[in-house]
Structures are given as C-alpha cells and as structure tokens.
Amino acid sequence: STLRIPVMPPSCHPCVAMEPLWLLLALSLLSPWGCAGGSCPPRCVCASNLLSCSQANLSAVPAPLPRFTAVLDLSHNNVTRLRADWAPARLPHLHALLLSHNGLAFVSTEAFAHVPRLRHLDLSSNRLRTLDENLFSDLGELEVLLLYNNEISTVDRTAFENLGRLRKLYLGQNRIARFPLELLREGSRLPQLALLDLSANRLRAVPAGELQALPAWLRDRLYLHNNPLACDCPLFQLLDRGRRRHLSAVEDFQDELRCVLPGTTVLVKILELAGKQPLNCSKAQEAVLEAHLGDSVTLGCDSRWQGVRSRHWVTPGGERVLGDGGNGSVVLLANGSLQLRALRPEDAGTYSCWVAGPLLNETLYVELLVHNFTLHGPHDTLNTAYTTLVGCILSVVLVLIYLYLTPCRCCCCRGAEKPPAPRDDSINSSVLSTTPNHAGGTGEPCGSHAAPGAGTGQNGRFKGGGTPPLPPRQGPKAQRKVSDPDSVSSVFSDTPIVV
C-alpha cells in the first residue's frame, strides 16, 4: 500500500509561483543602495551606509550623496576647496567625514551647516593657513577634530566656539606661534576637551602658571614637544612635576621637549635644566598647603584619570577617610577632595589620596602645615617670639632714655642740690657719666643759674656750674680729689675714687 499525496499544479497557487519575484523586489527596496536610497557615486565603493571615495582622483565632492550616508571617506584626492554647497541636501546621519591629503586650502564658514551630527572630522595633511571666525560653530556634536600637518599660522579665538562635546583637538605640525589659552582657561575652556596637541609648532612661550592649575587629566594629554620654547624655570618646574606624576605628554616625549637657552640658539632638554647655568632652576616642590589654627582647608585629589569615582584618603595618623570622620571636622567631598574644618595642631602632616584608575592605581600626597597661631580678619596676630623680641627692644630703649636723657637740673626742680664739681676733676669724664646739662642756651630754664666758674665739659660741651677746687692739703693725702655727687662713684660707693 502506497500513500499518495495530491500535488496541486503551479497554476493553482499564484502566490507560490510569484514568491521569488516578490522576495527580490523586497530586498531591493530594503537595500540602502536601491532605487529608494539612490545609487553609489561613480569611482566610489559603497558598503551599507559607508561611502569610500578615497584615491579616486576627484577634484570635487561627488554628487548626489545618498541621504543615509554615515561615513564619507574622500581622502587622497584633489578637493582643494570645500564650499558651502558641497552637500546641497541635509545629511542627518553623517558622523564621520575624512578629507585628509587633498591639498585643501579653503573651507567655507558654512561648509558644515548640513552635517550637524558630525562627530569625527579629519582635515589633516592639507594646506589650510587660517582658521576663521566660527568656522566649526555648526558642529555642536563634534568629538574629534584633526588639523595636524597643515600650514595654519592664524587661529581665530572664536574658531572653536560651540564645540561643547569636543574631546580631542590635534593642531600639531603647523605654524602656530600663539598659545590658544582660550581653549583651556576657566570660563572659556571647552568642557569636554581631554587632549590638545600643539606639538611641532612655533611656540616660544607657554603660560606655565595657568597650565599648572589645570587638572592633571588634561595636562596628561597636553603635547608641547618639538617647539622652540624659551628656557625658563617655570617651564622646567611645570614639566618636572609632570614627569614625577608620570603624565604621558611629558614621560613619552622627554627627548623632544627642548628649549632655547637665553641669548643663544642652543637647544637643550628642558628636563635637564635643574641646577645648571645660566638658569640654575630648582626642583619642583610637591604639593604643600599652609594654614592656621581654626581654619578650614580643602585638599584636592588631582588625579590624572578623568571621571574617577573610586578613591579614598588616608590621614597622617593612618586613618582611612571614606565619609564624614570624627565629629564632622573631616569631610570627603563629592569631587574627591578632602575638607578639614577647625584645624588643630595634630592635623598637620602628609595626607595621601588613593585613586583606582581604569588602567593603573595612583597615589597622591599633600603635605599640610598648620601654624600655631590664628588669623583674625585682615590683621594677623603677632607671633609669640616676635612679640617677645619687640618687648625686649622697647625695654632697652626705655632704660637708655632713663640713663642718658635725664631731666634738666633747674632751680625749681632741684634747688637744694649741690653744684657738681668741674668735669675735668670728676669721674664724669668716663663714658658712663650722665648727659651734660643743657645750660647756657637762649631760653633754657637753667641758663641764668650757671656758676661764674663754669668750664668746658665732656666732648667740649659747655657745662654750667661746678664745685670750686679746695685749697691744697699738705701730707700724703694731698692728691685726694673731691668726689662728684653726680658721678657713677656716688651711685655705687661712698668711697672716693683714688686717681
């Protein structure tokens, strides 16, 4: 017994008969290069949404371009001018445009109006000389811009405005002589910029102080090698800190980081300037922060890894800080910094910040010096040692005033005082004698009471008054002198001094 299954003739199943034709038609409609999407331009290779016209000896951008093109490669051609109408229709899906090695010398300021979604733009190895005002302002989503190996000497300060998502900017191997600080300065810096290549240009100076204040993750990708920089110590210290932090822009190009010695044309390695003439630069100091008792300070964890979230601090006492510590005097902030409040003497020491990076771990050290006096507003409290010194000096001055600037001996003050003996017969000729009286001058209160027998005193000054000499005595003690009651001997002893 054989089981037989009836088979319908093809004419009874028109849909089955037409199935291969409908399948081919559907595939052609779904294909990006079908009739609905346009055809692949001549001398180009098309694959899905990729359009490659490299090395096709083109002098202009081929037209029309399919609307769904995502990557357009026009490198190694002869497209010398990029006009505003090179893309007459909007290309909303285009995210990569490659125009390197074209001899490109002109780019219209409206050339990128129809490609707002562009994220990668390669204009390297061309003949561009200037970057005009707002040249790339239409590319709000651009992330990578390659402009190296051109002839650029002029960069307008607004050429890179509105590039809020730009992460990498390559300007190496050009003729740039002015450092574009507006790209890095706080307030105008591109917010996402993580790499700036300025190597092999004509830079003679860089703002070392402002560059040192940049985050380490940005200095890690700031390339300055192969520039004729002028040697100075701030530049050396900037790069020396980068070498000790193992920043790749310094560590990977130590031999290419050279500068010109003052007054010469000699190129020397910047990192070898320490202790050498004529600059004799000193080594860069590690992070040191000074504060006073009761102050609040913030210790920054300047890691070379961008966007790190896993980090912790270790205090000088070995305590690990993950959040609020103690009574709230130690606080770990959201950005990884450590805030210390109401500083005490025991807070001084070296703090370490441990960072877990994507490739390697990193440890940063910050030394905190706490001075043992406080600050009150704009006026500083004097140091104890300084106060003691000032007090000693004032005491000495007062003693000298008391000893040497005695009041005038006048009748109204010392009427019954015995007149002093002549200066040449008294111990007043000593250096320790008192200051001569101010007698004999016009308007002096004691001038009218000077004794007739007044003579010349110490240093030739006139001294009014004096004790007349006694008649000479006979015998062995004939040479005894009358002691001066104002002399030093009258202060320390009642026995006359025998000369």
Side-chain angles (χ1 to χ4, degrees):
S1 61
T2 302
L3 180 63
R4 295 186 178 183
I5 299 176
V7 178
M8 297 293 294
S11 59
C12 298
H13 300 279
C15 294
V16 176
M18 297 293 295
E19 184 176 354
L21 180 60
W22 284 107
L23 182 58
L24 292 175
L25 179 61
L27 291 175
S28 64
L29 292 176
L30 292 175
S31 174
W33 304 108
C35 298
S39 59
C40 186
R43 292 183 286 181
C44 297
V45 177
C46 303
S48 183
N49 57 356
L50 308 180
L51 180 58
S52 176
C53 305
S54 179
Q55 299 182 3
N57 198 24
L58 299 175
S59 59
V61 179
L65 291 173
R67 186 174 181 272
F68 49 80
T69 303
V71 178
L72 178 57
D73 184 2
L74 296 170
S75 61
H76 297 275
N77 282 290
N78 297 315
V79 183
T80 59
R81 301 177 68 85
L82 191 65
R83 302 180 181 275
D85 58 353
W86 71 271
R90 187 180 179 88
L91 300 174
H93 303 287
L94 187 66
H95 63 78
L97 176 60
L98 312 178
L99 281 164
S100 62
H101 298 278
N102 268 282
L104 191 65
F106 170 78
V107 177
S108 172
T109 55
E110 300 177 356
F112 307 107
H114 290 164
V115 288
R117 300 289 181 86
L118 205 62
R119 299 196 303 269
H120 184 101
L121 177 59
D122 186 359
L123 298 175
S124 63
S125 300
N126 283 294
R127 297 180 181 176
L128 297 175
R129 295 185 177 181
T130 61
L131 299 180
D132 296 328
E133 179 182 2
N134 297 319
L135 180 60
F136 305 106
S137 60
D138 292 323
L139 302 176
E141 298 186 12
L142 191 65
E143 298 178 2
V144 180
L145 178 57
L146 290 83
L147 291 164
Y148 63 86
N149 194 24
N150 274 279
E151 301 173 6
I152 301 173
S153 59
T154 304
V155 180
D156 190 89
R157 296 179 183 271
T158 64
F160 304 103
E161 282 192 353
N162 301 327
L163 300 184
R165 297 187 181 181
L166 188 65
R167 297 185 298 106
K168 299 179 180 180
L169 176 58
Y170 295 87
L171 288 168
Q173 300 182 49
N174 279 287
R175 303 175 182 177
I176 300 173
R178 181 188 68 86
F179 188 91
L181 188 58
E182 63 275 4
L183 299 178
L184 304 173
R185 179 177 289 160
E186 194 66 31
S188 62
R189 181 170 68 88
L190 301 178
Q192 300 296 327
L193 188 64
L195 185 151
L196 177 59
D197 180 14
L198 291 168
S199 62
N201 274 281
R202 298 182 179 179
L203 298 176
R204 296 188 177 275
V206 296
E210 298 195 53
L211 296 184
Q212 181 59 45
L214 295 176
W217 55 263
L218 181 51
R219 285 184 283 122
D220 188 44
R221 295 291 188 272
L222 177 59
Y223 298 96
L224 299 172
H225 56 277
N226 289 332
N227 275 285
L229 298 169
C231 295
D232 58 28
C233 291
L235 174 63
F236 163 74
Q237 293 178 350
L238 170 69
L239 299 179
D240 187 42
R241 289 190 179 97
R243 176 176 56 180
R244 286 194 285 180
R245 292 289 306 276
H246 302 289
L247 302 184
S248 61
V250 177
E251 197 171 47
D252 297 342
F253 298 94
Q254 296 187 40
D255 294 336
E256 289 81 8
L257 284 166
R258 297 176 176 268
C259 63
V260 182
L261 288 174
T264 68
T265 58
V266 179
L267 282 172
V268 297
K269 294 182 180 180
I270 300 177
L271 294 174
E272 295 181 357
L273 289 177
K276 292 187 177 181
Q277 298 297 334
L279 297 177
N280 196 23
C281 298
S282 60
K283 288 283 188 179
Q285 297 293 328
E286 291 294 339
V288 178
L289 186 62
E290 298 186 28
H292 305 85
L293 291 178
D295 287 354
S296 295
V297 297
T298 301
L299 311 182
C301 187
D302 188 22
S303 173
R304 59 193 175 106
W305 305 116
Q306 186 179 8
V308 173
R309 296 184 180 180
S310 176
R311 71 183 83 194
H312 67 272
W313 285 84
V314 177
T315 65
E319 179 184 359
R320 182 171 177 175
V321 181
L322 297 175
D324 292 352
N327 57 359
S329 61
V330 181
V331 180
L332 182 62
L333 303 180
N335 61 358
S337 300
L338 186 68
Q339 187 179 68
L340 305 175
R341 302 170 183 172
L343 288 177
R344 303 164 298 174
E346 56 266 27
D347 291 331
T350 301
Y351 292 77
S352 56
C353 178
W354 298 73
V355 180
L359 300 177
L360 297 172
N361 295 335
E362 185 179 16
T363 305
L364 308 177
Y365 299 95
V366 180
E367 183 180 356
L368 176 63
L369 303 178
V370 180
H371 298 289
N372 60 350
F373 59 92
T374 59
L375 293 178
H376 301 280
H379 304 288
D380 295 346
T381 302
L382 293 178
N383 194 315
T384 304
Y386 180 70
T387 306
T388 304
L389 177 62
V390 172
C392 293
I393 295 176
L394 290 177
S395 301
V396 172
V397 171
L398 291 175
V399 170
L400 293 177
I401 291 176
Y402 177 77
L403 291 176
Y404 293 101
L405 299 180
T406 57
C408 176
R409 298 183 181 88
C410 55
C411 59
C412 58
C413 303
R414 313 174 80 177
E417 182 180 0
K418 182 180 178 179
R423 181 167 297 276
D424 52 356
D425 293 334
S426 173
I427 197 65
N428 281 331
S429 60
S430 170
V431 178
L432 297 176
S433 63
T434 57
T435 304
N437 296 329
H438 304 281
T442 305
E444 295 290 340
C446 300
S448 60
H449 300 281
T456 303
Q458 183 181 0
N459 297 330
R461 294 182 182 178
F462 176 80
K463 180 175 181 180
T467 302
L470 297 177
R473 296 181 181 180
Q474 301 297 329
K477 297 184 179 180
Q479 301 299 323
R480 183 183 297 271
K481 302 292 183 178
V482 179
S483 62
D484 188 350
D486 290 335
S487 66
V488 177
S489 63
S490 66
V491 178
F492 295 100
S493 174
D494 293 333
T495 305
I497 296 176
V498 179
V499 181

